[in-house]
Amino acid sequence: MLPLGAVLLPSGVMPLLLFEDRYRRMIVDVMAADREFGIVLIRRGSEVGGGDLRCDVGTRARVLEAREASDGRWSVTVVGLQRIRVEQWLPDDPHPVADVSPMPDRPGPGVTEPAYRSTESRLRRLLAGLSELGDPVPAATFDLADDPGLGTLQMAALGPFTAYDRQRLLESETASGRCHVLNGLLDDAQVVVDHRLGTDGGGDRPGAGSSR
């Protein structure tokens, strides 16, 4: 397990620089096995040195590329595969280890196609506005999965959200719940972008409740 100050979401890609001895040993073991390990957000504490308080919902990651530098540090690129729930943290020996299980969505109300596409449109509008302002954001021409379960996680990875907002989305147990949270976050962010652009934000914006 790798506790970080950032959140990896399923389908998201993350570059890592591993320099602590414990994580250099971890990546060697990972590369010799199935190239997979878990990533969780540090709720309180530091990435370096241990003694951190960790979230119990994270993401199983697969190594796409890993290179060792001459000084022993590793540059690693990973992609998120699926959500995991930590059942039990084991002793850090030498690096964090945990018993985990997959965390699929719970059965519940689905997300209608119009509600899903409305949230997608909001994200595209927000990213386009941020790009116009010169902010470094993903292009608004992204592709989403047709399945709202995965697509809402993809939007969580693409949006300009804080680590704690992304963790909130990662921990949402239904696609409809994630869609509702996404709409609220996108609405709040759009107000700021409209203000920065000098627009009134009075375009076509369906109510956030349409995704419930």
Side-chain angles (χ1 to χ4, degrees), residues 10 22 29 33 46 71 85 98-99 102 127 146-147 174 181 188 194:
R22 56 181 177 161
D29 292 343
S46 170
D71 61 2
R85 185 184 297 277
D99 288 330
L127 293 178
D146 291 332
D147 172 25
T174 62
V181 174
D188 291 344
D194 288 342

Side-chain angles (χ1 to χ4, degrees), residues 45-190:
S46 170
E47 291 183 356
V48 180
D52 48 80
L53 179 62
R54 306 158 186 166
C55 294
D56 286 334
V57 173
T59 300
R60 183 162 61 93
R62 178 184 292 274
V63 176
L64 297 177
E65 184 178 11
R67 294 182 181 180
E68 184 179 13
S70 58
D71 61 2
R73 295 184 298 175
W74 282 81
S75 296
V76 181
T77 302
V78 300
V79 61
L81 298 181
Q82 68 174 164
R83 293 187 301 172
I84 53 174
R85 185 184 297 277
V86 174
E87 303 295 345
Q88 180 181 9
W89 285 102
L90 305 176
D92 291 10
D93 185 20
H95 52 75
V97 180
D99 288 330
V100 303
S101 60
M103 184 182 165
D105 278 342
R106 288 192 297 104
V111 180
T112 66
E113 181 73 10
Y116 180 48
R117 296 308 171 189
S118 172
T119 305
E120 177 186 0
S121 296
R122 292 183 192 196
L123 178 57
R124 291 189 191 278
R125 179 185 173 214
L126 179 64
L127 293 178
L130 288 169
S131 179
E132 184 179 346
L133 289 164
D135 290 4
V137 293
T141 54
F142 57 82
D143 292 323
L144 287 183
D146 291 332
D147 172 25
L150 175 57
T152 49
L153 288 168
Q154 290 174 320
M155 285 191 274
L158 290 164
F161 308 132
T162 68
Y164 292 103
D165 287 335
R166 286 198 169 99
Q167 184 66 27
R168 183 182 171 196
L169 289 160
L170 185 68
E171 293 180 1
S172 294
E173 295 185 326
T174 62
S176 59
R178 274 193 303 280
C179 203
H180 178 64
V181 174
L182 276 167
N183 283 333
L185 293 172
L186 292 170
D187 283 350
D188 291 344
Q190 190 65 56

